[in-house]
Amino acid sequence: MIVSIESSCDDSSLALTRIADCKLLFHTKLSQDSHHSPFGGVVPEIASRLHAQNLPLLLTKLTDFLRTLNPNAPFAPLKAIAVTNRPGLSVTLSEGMCMANALALSLDLPLLCLNHLKGHIYSLFIDTPHAHIGEGLGVLLVSGGHTQILHMRDYEHITLVAQSLDDSFGESFDKVAKMLSLGYPGGPIVESYAARHSGALLPMPIPLLHDKRLAYSFSGLKNAVRLEIIKAQGMAKDISEEAKAQICASFQEAACAHILHKLRIYFQRYGGYFTHFGVVGGASANGVLRSRIESLCQEFGKTLILAPLEFCADNAAMIGRLACEAYMRKEFSPLGDMISPKSLSEDFIVL
């Protein structure tokens, strides 16, 4: 069994995964949303301090579970400690690495330092011993920090096809929510406001619409939302709930249209290289986006794979599933504070 630790941003999470069949045996998580909501986004120093408080609490829960399996020697079945060490916030990654080093050293177990984004890909295969890659797997990763199109041939060959030039899909939802004083995290809040509106939409630009590059950009759309908010405010201090709903619906429509426009180009250019298509990351929980991608996959004859909603956001279960692959390949890491705010050059093949 492998203990996995996730602390790349604002979610503290531990999991226990059985190596033989990649079965998730235990998973626990503590969210920090309520602590960051007053600020409209993640405050790194607060996140780091909360990880220092929460991770030991989660370890106690995990230890109690291990005792139910083996009361006399709860840690005896463990074969490795896995931890996210990139990409993410340095001050929060350090908290997870500190615990991972302590456990690996005290239990004399090998350490697996893993890429958080690869973990998101493997959220598609939790509880599944074999990855459903088929003749190739296309992946859309949409989260608070990343928007990427990836192509996976196998564990060792994952190509970065496209990414955002500025803000991410999830980050743009957070910033729109902040501009409208709706709270954090912005994804579900903006989506819920958008669902309230059934009338006409405001004219919002679809980014890079006439640009042939496979790339994303959300900064211009974010600015368009800002201008609509200014117009809606007029001389008043507050915006009506109706206006907020219309702005959210208009923004969400344009943001999803942007994602789908570039995905269509990807399907047209590289559709012959993959049979399955996965959608991962915290922002992949957006219902409108999921529905549109499902239709696109049907149009192009691709098999859509979606991560369970509970494993879309950051979690240790996906790190544990990735860790099973790394363990079988003996990709062990030395003890130390080996963290990086970005992916390493060897993590992905770049087109």
Side-chain angles (χ1 to χ4, degrees):
M1 292 184 283
I2 296 176
V3 170
S4 52
I5 305 167
E6 162 61 33
S7 67
S8 63
C9 191
D10 60 333
D11 287 317
S12 305
S13 183
L14 266 67
L16 182 69
T17 306
R18 189 162 57 205
I19 300 169
D21 58 0
C22 302
K23 176 72 175 177
L24 177 63
L25 302 177
F26 176 86
H27 176 247
T28 183
K29 174 177 170 175
L30 281 174
S31 173
Q32 302 178 5
D33 289 350
S34 62
H35 297 273
H36 298 289
S37 183
F39 306 98
V42 176
V43 181
E45 292 79 7
I46 295 176
S48 178
R49 186 166 65 248
L50 289 171
H51 281 304
Q53 297 172 8
N54 292 338
L55 287 173
L57 299 177
L58 298 183
L59 182 59
T60 298
K61 291 184 178 181
L62 174 61
T63 303
D64 291 341
F65 177 79
L66 285 169
R67 286 199 176 99
T68 66
L69 302 179
N70 194 342
N72 297 324
F75 297 107
L78 300 184
K79 297 298 182 182
I81 305 298
V83 62
T84 298
N85 79 325
R86 66 195 189 277
L89 299 174
S90 296
V91 291
T92 63
L93 288 169
S94 294
E95 296 296 338
M97 279 298 301
C98 182
M99 173 173 280
N101 276 297
L103 288 173
L105 182 62
S106 61
L107 299 174
D108 192 24
L109 294 173
L111 182 66
L112 297 162
C113 294
L114 303 174
N115 185 293
H116 173 78
L117 303 182
K118 286 187 176 181
H120 272 303
I121 296 175
Y122 275 85
S123 68
L124 297 169
F125 313 126
I126 293 172
D127 280 334
T128 306
H130 303 293
H132 303 300
I133 298 174
E135 296 178 13
L137 174 69
V139 178
L140 173 69
L141 193 160
V142 279
S143 67
H146 298 84
T147 299
Q148 298 178 335
I149 299 175
L150 300 151
H151 180 81
M152 182 177 183
R153 197 173 77 207
D154 52 42
Y155 175 84
E156 288 89 4
H157 298 88
I158 304 176
T159 301
L160 176 59
V161 179
Q163 61 184 329
S164 178
L165 303 174
D166 41 64
D167 294 347
S168 72
F169 180 77
E171 181 184 7
S172 66
F173 275 76
D174 289 338
K175 290 182 176 178
V176 167
K178 184 174 183 179
M179 286 188 284
L180 290 169
S181 302
L182 299 180
Y184 173 87
I189 299 174
V190 170
E191 185 178 6
S192 66
Y193 264 80
R196 302 179 191 178
H197 182 74
S198 59
L201 297 177
L202 298 167
M204 293 276 182
I206 299 176
L208 306 179
L209 185 59
H210 303 293
D211 193 319
K212 299 298 183 183
R213 289 178 298 169
L214 269 175
Y216 288 109
S217 172
F218 292 92
S219 60
L221 179 56
K222 180 185 66 179
N223 188 57
V225 171
R226 182 183 66 83
L227 296 176
E228 290 296 340
I229 292 173
I230 292 173
K231 285 197 290 185
Q233 283 177 324
M235 298 299 292
K237 293 183 179 180
D238 298 319
I239 308 175
S240 68
E241 291 296 295
E242 293 81 2
K244 289 180 181 179
Q246 184 183 35
I247 290 172
C248 286
S250 304
F251 158 73
Q252 179 176 256
E253 177 63 28
C256 289
H258 179 36
I259 292 289
L260 266 293
H261 173 65
K262 295 302 180 180
L263 279 184
R264 179 173 290 276
I265 295 175
Y266 169 65
F267 276 50
Q268 291 169 342
R269 288 184 187 176
Y270 301 104
Y273 296 98
F274 65 95
T275 53
H276 294 65
F277 188 77
V279 186
V280 300
S284 71
N286 183 279
V288 173
L289 182 65
R290 284 189 168 217
S291 177
R292 302 277 174 85
I293 293 176
E294 183 177 10
S295 297
L296 186 69
C297 286
Q298 290 175 351
E299 179 184 343
F300 282 86
K302 306 302 179 184
T303 300
L304 177 62
I305 310 174
L306 297 170
L309 287 174
E310 64 178 310
F311 298 127
C312 286
D314 298 347
N315 64 86
M318 67 185 192
I319 302 303
R321 178 61 185 85
L322 175 64
C324 290
E325 303 289 334
Y327 180 85
M328 289 185 284
R329 292 166 174 81
K330 301 185 183 304
E331 295 182 350
F332 304 127
S333 306
L335 297 180
D337 193 21
M338 304 160 293
I339 59 171
S340 173
K342 296 183 179 180
S343 295
L344 302 179
S345 58
E346 60 264 29
D347 287 334
F348 301 107
I349 302 166
V350 180
L351 282 183

